[in-house]
Amino acid sequence: MFERPHHGGNLGWAAEMAGCPAFSLLDFSASINPLGPPAAVLAAIESALPALHHYPDPQYVRLRQAIADYHHLPVDWILPGNGSAELLTLAGRTFAGLDCTYVVGPAFGDYGRSWRGAGAKLKTITWQVNQPWPWQKLRSLSEITDSITIQPQKRGLILNNPHNPSGTLLPREEILALLPHYQWVLLDEAFMDFLPPGEEQSLVSHLEEHPNLIILRSLTKFYRLPGLRLGYALGHPDILSQWQAWRDPWPVNVLAEAAAITCLEAEEFRQQVWQWLPPARTALQKDLASLPGLLPLASQANFLLVKTAIPAPELQQELLIKCQILIRDCLSFPELVQDFFRVAVRTVADNQKLTQALATVIATARS
């Protein structure tokens, strides 16, 4: 028996629920770019197969240089990792030295996993997803701290931008204004690639001015390579050297390394995604909003968070059993639970299948 998933993309559990093979499912639960992976990346993986006879370069010189060139940073400000999960585990150890770390919830569940595993204290600042972002609380924590105020040099902050699961894009200047209030700030930019350079709000260009800032990036979502497990951290060399000393050797395999280097060269593919996503997301949001009982929130990422009058687990089960379509319930987000579900933006044809299936399921539930 498969356990109920805490992340999207758990096709084993969903296939068991739907009574069909996993490959038969239409998966909207994992926010993965349907246009990828680029053909050049697949070719690079194939070309790297002979390298399986050898260990990876433990310093990842070529990969770190490629990432450094892409972001216009010194190479010693780069640390590749085995997906964001490994890097978050390392971050938890760093933040365990603080009195408390604050995170705005709802938030990605792996933050809690990593902090608990490191024995670090994590406190959630609850945010209502249809309300303004709690900037004032984050600047002045006297309202939310315990009886003894935690000094800036003893507290940390986790933010992700665009925010997961809402898709809200946080302004760069607002985040910059928070940095002096915390000893460490972890900024998860896993979905930032989905915005073109003129619209993104990344802090990568400000990184060298702020040694207390650590940025996490992912190559698996935008380039559709979640099975390769590839991400990287950007931060001051001192903290990244500490992370390198803590972890096991060779966390990135040679196929992932080859894929990553080629991904960073895929400018034509990036342009294609930036042209595809906004109209596809707008159309899906409009179609979902036309269904009774559904309210999709505005998003700047490749997914939509949807408020539902019918409990999300019920919708999820009906869609699986009757339509072999998987959506992401939000039971793992304590602030959302059964009142919301999340869906990835997929191709136009797939998005239409989703809205048609939802229309049928909702009509049956309301009859």
Side-chain angles (χ1 to χ4, degrees), residues 132-192:
W133 191 259
W135 295 113
Q136 182 57 37
K137 282 189 175 182
L138 293 171
R139 286 191 293 267
S140 177
L141 290 170
S142 58
E143 304 173 39
I144 57 174
T145 53
D146 297 329
S147 57
I148 300 176
T149 301
I150 299 173
Q151 298 303 312
Q153 64 270 24
K154 296 181 179 179
R155 66 191 181 206
L157 176 66
I158 302 173
L159 291 173
N160 62 345
N161 195 25
H163 176 256
N164 175 20
S166 73
T168 299
L169 184 64
L170 308 179
R172 179 188 295 114
E173 295 305 319
E174 292 280 8
I175 301 176
L176 285 170
L178 293 177
L179 297 183
H181 297 267
Y182 299 87
Q183 180 172 349
W184 289 111
V185 175
L186 182 74
L187 180 59
D188 183 352
E189 294 187 349
F191 293 97
M192 191 65 77

Side-chain angles (χ1 to χ4, degrees), residues 86-311:
E86 185 212 5
L87 298 168
L88 283 171
T89 298
L90 297 169
R93 293 185 64 175
T94 292
F95 281 66
L98 305 178
D99 287 347
C100 187
T101 299
Y102 296 91
V103 63
V104 177
F108 181 41
D110 262 21
Y111 303 145
R113 173 198 62 80
S114 303
W115 263 241
R116 287 190 301 271
K121 183 178 179 183
L122 188 64
K123 186 177 181 67
T124 299
I125 300 171
T126 301
W127 171 58
Q128 300 297 324
V129 292
N130 56 350
Q131 298 297 316
W133 191 259
W135 295 113
Q136 182 57 37
K137 282 189 175 182
L138 293 171
R139 286 191 293 267
S140 177
L141 290 170
S142 58
E143 304 173 39
I144 57 174
T145 53
D146 297 329
S147 57
I148 300 176
T149 301
I150 299 173
Q151 298 303 312
Q153 64 270 24
K154 296 181 179 179
R155 66 191 181 206
L157 176 66
I158 302 173
L159 291 173
N160 62 345
N161 195 25
H163 176 256
N164 175 20
S166 73
T168 299
L169 184 64
L170 308 179
R172 179 188 295 114
E173 295 305 319
E174 292 280 8
I175 301 176
L176 285 170
L178 293 177
L179 297 183
H181 297 267
Y182 299 87
Q183 180 172 349
W184 289 111
V185 175
L186 182 74
L187 180 59
D188 183 352
E189 294 187 349
F191 293 97
M192 191 65 77
D193 287 324
F194 287 96
L195 288 112
E199 299 175 24
E200 54 87 16
Q201 296 292 304
S202 174
L203 261 62
V204 170
S205 62
H206 296 268
L207 194 62
E208 292 179 87
E209 307 158 25
H210 301 282
N212 65 327
L213 174 64
I214 304 167
I215 297 176
L216 299 187
R217 299 291 291 251
S218 170
L219 292 172
T220 57
K221 298 172 176 63
F222 187 88
Y223 298 98
R224 201 181 183 184
L225 296 166
L228 277 183
R229 311 304 310 129
L230 185 63
Y232 54 91
L234 308 174
H236 193 279
D238 288 350
I239 191 62
L240 296 188
S241 296
Q242 179 65 76
W243 288 14
Q244 174 70 9
W246 282 340
R247 67 180 182 173
D248 296 335
W250 309 300
V252 179
N253 67 71
V254 293
L255 302 185
E257 181 179 21
I261 292 170
T262 307
C263 283
L264 297 171
E265 299 169 349
E267 180 61 26
E268 184 177 345
F269 176 77
R270 287 191 285 274
Q271 294 290 340
Q272 179 187 7
V273 175
W274 294 333
Q275 292 173 14
W276 153 77
L277 179 57
R281 182 178 58 218
T282 298
L284 178 58
Q285 182 180 6
K286 181 180 178 181
D287 288 346
L288 291 172
S290 70
L291 300 178
L294 297 187
L295 178 63
L297 277 63
S299 170
Q300 294 299 311
N302 64 322
F303 53 81
L304 293 171
L305 183 66
V306 185
K307 186 172 177 58
T308 173
I310 300 173

